[in-house]
């Protein structure tokens, strides 16, 4: 039997919201052994992050409070219930025995201190070490987490690093005291698949070397499949299913688990529509889960889009005149030093040419910094081009005056990545949707605009009663639907979706992707779909462009690029996607077993 590090027994964590008590974690129990990785999965609001914060005793009080249960930590000195410790006593365990990596490293790192100073501080605090020794230890940790130029990064500030580098600094900080347990809360959600792969491999290596226990929290079952030994599935504060990762993936018992497994886009089949959790379960009036009789295989097979149907669609698409023609487009950014002197010129988009056809969805994919978002924004003149031509319906957008461009903005819209920052927190949802109608003088009067807004809310599966509510009252998925309704308010024909589902849970993501496709069929939209998630792009797009360092690396039919990638860069992107196939899980288990045996 493996040595148990942590036992969570009947844990209850409650939050007081508007005078009512809500159990965010509701009587859950599990244990973690040395050298074991447990994956906790579920949608936003399932209680997975509150579970991790409860284990660290970081629940803000008020409004939250741990009201029941035990969290027992075991080590060579004995056992202790962490919930009985004073805050001062808990500080000896937090960061020292139990470390945590948070989802967003930029908000976890202090922007006014160098990365080296922040890791040194943790070492000096917990190990009572000298500054000289702590610096040496920090640089060694940066080498261990595979940061390039460790001494340079030691003196760098967080804003000077990429997302993947910042996350490695956070891992180095978490590892600095050689903790017995590491809790990782969505540590790879915002990262490219290639960076994500290296981070997951790094955590695996560090775990094996130090025989650590890891609790890995995510909404992405594909990630869990290749990293975890056991998986806990959470829904509304409860653990609805748990077990060996291979057993849960090969034979899920709970309908919620089936829904989570089914709703992630697959690379192996092209579907007309993604399954969602609601295809497998519904919640009755008493709040009980009722299963709908459907197997993942049966439902998925019923939704397959045949190659013949796809061929017919493409025959109609590509006989048309392109709606957008991009020729030799370039976008430069200049970095200036003191007195406005140009220090450096960065080429974000480098001599790019392509066409988009009416009714097509064209995907733009690549790692962070490849130029895909800059390209999307340059097309809309949210960023000004440095050279080239962009023809929309025969007009060169780059030559239009402001008034001419404003008139065209009715036809060309953008849906951004973060719906919360896209909406004014002081404006009701109704005002946010009717505002562009007022700017473009549509629908005659206030009554006509309100009627249209209510119609659009219904169209994006929102309730009319939401019209007078504010953005903070909605979930991420609901806010993204509101942003889609706002984009539709001016009757556009061409929409740029810029990472518009990357921040969403896989189940909510599936609903939003299905909605975008339904709207496209109904209104004949043309999309440019920008994403770092290649499986999502394959589901959504007819053709795709792979970008790398501002240039087009590869372009063509989405299915053909996935089946026969020509460029080594594209091959690496595709190989890095965690797919959660049973063969991949078995292989990952065997690899971990072999590594542990070698280390022993």
């Amino acid at each position: 039997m493996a040595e148990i590090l942590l036992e969570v027994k009947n844990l209850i964590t409650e939050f007081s919201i508007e005078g009512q008590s809500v159990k965010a974690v509701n009587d859950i129990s599990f244990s973690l052994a040395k050298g074991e990785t447990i994956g906790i999965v579920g949608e936003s609001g399932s209680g997975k992050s509150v579970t991790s914060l409860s284990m660290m005793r970081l629940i803000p009080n008020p409004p939250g409070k741990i009201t029941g249960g035990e969290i027992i930590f075991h080590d060579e000195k004995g056992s202790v219930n962490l919930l009985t410790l004073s805050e001062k006593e808990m500080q000896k365990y937090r960061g020292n025995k139990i470390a945590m990596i948070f989802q967003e490293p930029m908000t976890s790192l202090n922007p006014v201190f160098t990365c080296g100073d922040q890791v040194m501080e943790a070492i000096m605090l917990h190990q009572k070490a000298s500054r000289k020794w702590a610096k040496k230890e920090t640089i060694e940790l940066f080498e261990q987490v595979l940061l390039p130029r460790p001494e340079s990064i030691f003196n760098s500030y967080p804003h000077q690093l990429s997302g993947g580098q910042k996350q490695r600094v956070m891992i180095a900080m978490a590892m600095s005291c050689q903790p017995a347990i590491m809790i990782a809360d969505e540590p790879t959600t915002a990262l490219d698949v290639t960076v994500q792969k290296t981070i997951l491999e790094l955590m695996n290596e560090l775990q094996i070397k130090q025989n650590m226990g890891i609790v890995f929290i995510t909404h992405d079952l594909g990630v869990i499949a290749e990293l975890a030994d056991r998986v806990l599935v959470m829904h509304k504060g409860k653990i609805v299913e748990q077990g060996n990762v291979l057993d849960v993936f090969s034979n899920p018992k709970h309908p919620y688990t089936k829904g989570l497994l089914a709703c992630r886009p697959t690379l192996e089949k092209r579907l007309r529509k993604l399954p969602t959790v609601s295809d497998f379960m519904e919640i009755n009036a008493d709040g009980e889960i009722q299963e709908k009789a459907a197997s993942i295989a049966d439902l998925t097979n019923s939704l397959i889009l045949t190659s013949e149907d796809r061929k017919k669609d493409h025959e109609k698409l590509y006989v048309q005149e392109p709606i957008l023609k991009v020729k030799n487009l370039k976008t430069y950014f200049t970095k200036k030093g003191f007195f406005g002197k140009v220090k450096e010129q960065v080429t974000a988009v480098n001599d790019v040419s392509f066409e988009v056809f009416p009714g097509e969805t064209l995907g733009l994919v690549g790692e962070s910094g490849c130029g895909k978002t800059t390209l999307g924004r340059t097309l809309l003149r949210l960023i000004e081009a440095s050279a080239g031509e962009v023809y929309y319906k025969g007009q060169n957008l780059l030559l239009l005056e402001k008034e001419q461009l404003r008139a065209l903005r009715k036809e060309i819209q953008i849906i951004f990545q973060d719906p919360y920052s896209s909406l004014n927190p002081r404006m009701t949802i109704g005002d946010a949707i009717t505002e562009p109608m007022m700017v473009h003088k549509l629908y005659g009067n206030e009554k006509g605009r309100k009627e249209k807004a209510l119609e659009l809310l219904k169209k994006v599966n929102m309730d009319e009663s939401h019209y007078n509510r504010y953005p903070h009252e909605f979930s991420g998925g609901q806010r993204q639907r509101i942003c889609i309704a706002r984009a539709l308010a001016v009757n556009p024909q061409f929409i740029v979706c810029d990472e518009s589902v990357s921040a969403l849970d896989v189940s909510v993501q599936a609903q939003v992707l299905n909605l975008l496709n339904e709207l496209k069929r109904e209104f004949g939209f043309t999309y440019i779909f920008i994403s770092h998630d290649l499986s999502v792009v394959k589901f959504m797009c007819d053709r795709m462009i792979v970008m790398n360092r501002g240039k087009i690396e590869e372009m063509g039919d989405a299915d053909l690029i996935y089946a026969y990638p020509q460029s080594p860069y594209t091959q690496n992107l595709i190989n890095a996607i965690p797919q959660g196939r049973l063969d991949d899980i078995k292989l990952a288990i065997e690899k971990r077993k072999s590594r542990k045996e070698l280390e022993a």
Side-chain angles (χ1 to χ4, degrees):
M1 281 287 290
E3 190 179 334
I4 297 294
L5 285 172
L6 193 80
E7 289 180 278
V8 174
K9 296 181 177 179
N10 308 109
L11 180 67
I12 299 171
T13 304
E14 298 185 55
F15 284 83
S16 179
I17 301 169
E18 296 177 354
Q20 289 190 316
S21 182
V22 176
K23 288 182 179 177
V25 173
N26 191 356
D27 195 21
I28 70 166
S29 300
F30 65 91
S31 62
L32 175 71
K34 267 191 177 182
E36 181 183 37
T37 299
I38 287 180
I40 304 182
V41 296
E43 300 168 284
S44 295
S46 64
K48 58 188 189 298
S49 289
V50 176
T51 299
S52 68
L53 292 170
S54 300
M55 289 158 69
M56 293 288 286
R57 292 259 312 264
L58 290 173
I59 297 293
N61 182 12
K65 193 176 182 184
I66 298 170
T67 57
E70 299 174 286
I71 300 173
I72 301 169
F73 177 79
H74 302 276
D75 66 4
E76 63 282 353
K77 294 178 182 175
S79 304
V80 62
N81 181 0
L82 299 179
L83 300 184
T84 63
L85 301 179
S86 68
E87 178 57 28
K88 191 173 181 182
E89 289 171 320
M90 184 62 200
Q91 284 174 10
K92 295 173 187 173
Y93 289 86
R94 193 188 294 134
N96 197 11
K97 302 283 189 182
I98 309 173
M100 188 161 180
I101 307 164
F102 294 95
Q103 179 173 354
E104 181 41 72
M106 196 63 208
T107 56
S108 306
L109 292 167
N110 192 324
V112 300
F113 291 101
T114 66
C115 296
D117 276 338
Q118 293 183 64
V119 178
M120 273 174 58
E121 182 188 25
I123 293 170
M124 288 159 68
L125 177 69
H126 288 292
Q127 299 188 36
K128 305 290 185 281
S130 69
R131 188 172 180 82
K132 186 179 176 183
W133 189 86
K135 181 176 180 178
K136 177 176 167 288
E137 194 74 4
T138 299
I139 290 171
E140 282 180 14
L141 280 165
F142 283 176
E143 285 171 356
Q144 271 185 50
V145 299
L146 307 178
L147 277 165
R149 309 177 311 283
E151 295 202 5
S152 169
I153 283 179
F154 182 92
N155 294 312
S156 298
Y157 290 88
H159 73 272
Q160 295 174 302
L161 307 186
S162 70
Q165 288 173 334
K166 284 195 282 275
Q167 199 57 286
R168 287 173 201 222
V169 170
M170 287 300 299
I171 292 172
M173 192 184 294
M175 295 299 303
S176 63
C177 297
Q178 299 185 338
I181 298 168
M182 184 188 285
I183 301 169
D185 187 5
E186 300 268 17
T188 61
T189 300
L191 304 178
D192 302 322
V193 284
T194 47
V195 179
Q196 173 178 272
K197 188 178 181 182
T198 57
I199 294 289
L200 296 178
E201 286 174 350
L202 170 65
M203 289 181 71
N204 231 324
E205 290 292 332
L206 293 172
Q207 178 191 37
I208 289 163
K209 279 181 186 172
Q210 302 197 17
N211 204 22
M212 245 184 341
I214 292 180
V215 178
F216 195 97
I217 293 161
T218 183
H219 63 258
D220 190 339
L221 279 149
V223 170
I224 286 294
E226 295 177 32
L227 181 77
D229 302 300
R230 284 192 298 132
V231 59
L232 316 178
V233 182
M234 290 192 72
H235 180 255
K236 296 199 170 175
K238 288 182 174 286
I239 294 172
V240 294
E241 185 161 2
Q242 63 177 303
N244 173 290
V245 71
L246 189 58
D247 293 341
V248 171
F249 272 73
S250 59
N251 188 23
K253 298 283 192 286
H254 197 276
Y256 181 67
T257 313
K258 292 177 185 177
L260 286 181
L261 284 167
C263 63
R264 179 161 174 78
T266 173
L267 292 180
E268 293 162 341
K269 302 167 185 173
R270 180 174 278 271
L271 305 180
R272 287 179 286 106
K273 178 176 175 266
L274 287 172
T276 61
V277 170
S278 61
D279 290 319
F280 295 89
M281 60 174 255
E282 60 188 2
I283 297 172
N284 66 19
D286 298 322
E288 296 166 336
I289 291 171
Q290 292 186 320
E291 183 168 6
K292 294 181 181 177
S295 77
I296 295 174
D298 289 346
L299 185 60
T300 304
N301 289 335
S302 71
L303 295 171
I304 289 173
L305 178 68
T306 65
S307 54
E308 289 79 16
D309 285 342
R310 194 160 178 263
K311 190 177 177 184
K312 285 175 193 170
D313 291 342
H314 284 189
E315 281 168 2
K316 292 174 194 169
L317 272 181
Y318 300 122
V319 294
Q320 305 172 92
E321 185 66 22
I323 192 171
L324 188 81
K325 290 183 181 180
V326 179
K327 296 181 179 179
N328 308 110
L329 189 66
K330 297 179 182 179
T331 307
Y332 305 136
F333 293 118
T334 53
K335 291 184 179 178
K336 294 183 178 180
F338 289 110
F339 312 113
K341 189 177 179 183
V342 175
K343 268 174 68 179
E344 187 184 354
Q345 185 169 275
V346 177
T347 306
V349 178
N350 191 358
D351 199 23
V352 165
S353 300
F354 62 92
E355 296 175 339
V356 187
F357 293 83
E360 179 181 30
T361 302
L362 178 73
L364 286 182
V365 298
E367 297 171 292
S368 295
C370 71
K372 60 187 186 294
T373 291
T374 303
L375 173 56
R377 295 184 183 201
T378 303
L379 298 178
L380 301 178
R381 285 198 44 195
L382 298 176
I383 295 171
E384 290 296 340
S386 305
E389 300 164 288
V390 178
Y391 289 97
Y392 175 75
K393 293 184 178 178
Q395 279 185 293
N396 188 349
L397 298 183
L398 306 187
L399 300 179
L400 295 183
E401 299 294 332
K402 279 188 179 177
E403 285 304 313
Q404 294 171 298
L405 191 61
R406 179 179 285 187
L408 257 184
R409 291 218 188 276
K410 283 202 301 257
E411 291 193 30
I412 310 172
Q413 286 287 300
I414 185 166
I415 303 166
F416 293 102
Q417 177 174 356
D418 181 3
Y420 195 68
S421 58
S422 304
L423 295 166
N424 186 332
R426 296 182 180 183
M427 287 176 79
T428 64
I429 297 315
D431 287 342
I433 297 171
T434 55
E435 184 190 37
M437 302 180 200
M438 290 170 66
V439 170
H440 292 286
K441 299 180 173 60
L442 298 175
Y443 308 108
N445 55 32
E446 194 176 328
K447 186 186 175 195
R449 287 190 280 270
K450 182 174 180 179
E451 284 173 1
K452 182 65 180 176
L454 293 172
E455 179 194 319
L456 288 169
L457 282 172
K458 204 171 175 185
K459 188 70 69 184
V460 298
N461 302 324
M462 298 283 286
D463 201 280
E464 290 186 359
S465 64
H466 295 151
Y467 185 88
N468 292 312
R469 294 192 189 174
Y470 289 87
H472 73 272
E473 298 178 68
F474 298 95
S475 69
Q478 287 174 318
R479 284 197 287 263
Q480 198 58 286
R481 288 168 191 270
I482 292 159
C483 288
I484 293 169
R486 192 173 195 261
L488 299 180
V490 290
N491 298 320
Q493 292 182 31
F494 193 104
I495 300 176
V496 175
C497 302
D498 185 7
E499 297 275 14
S500 53
V501 295
S502 62
L504 304 178
D505 297 328
V506 283
S507 53
V508 179
Q509 175 181 278
Q511 294 166 23
V512 173
L513 293 175
N514 287 340
L515 172 64
L516 288 169
N517 276 338
E518 285 162 22
L519 294 169
K520 176 185 164 180
R521 284 190 288 271
E522 185 175 346
F523 296 106
F525 292 144
T526 303
Y527 290 136
I528 285 183
F529 195 91
I530 301 168
S531 179
H532 65 258
D533 190 330
L534 281 86
S535 53
V536 167
V537 169
K538 181 178 184 291
F539 167 71
M540 285 294 291
C541 300
D542 302 291
R543 288 186 305 139
M544 62 188 274
I545 291 172
V546 182
M547 290 192 70
N548 181 22
R549 298 183 180 181
K551 286 182 171 287
I552 292 176
E553 188 82 25
E554 200 162 339
M555 176 166 56
D557 180 90
D559 286 5
L560 286 175
I561 285 179
Y562 278 94
Y564 311 105
Q566 302 301 304
S567 154
Y569 177 78
T570 310
Q571 289 164 14
N572 286 338
L573 284 180
I574 293 168
N575 291 338
I577 301 169
Q579 294 180 48
R581 293 175 301 206
L582 296 183
D583 287 346
D584 296 335
I585 297 170
K586 288 172 186 170
L587 186 63
I589 290 168
E590 283 303 315
K591 275 186 181 176
R592 287 200 299 275
K593 190 178 173 185
S594 300
R595 282 175 182 170
K596 283 175 183 176
E597 285 170 358
L598 280 171
E599 195 65 28

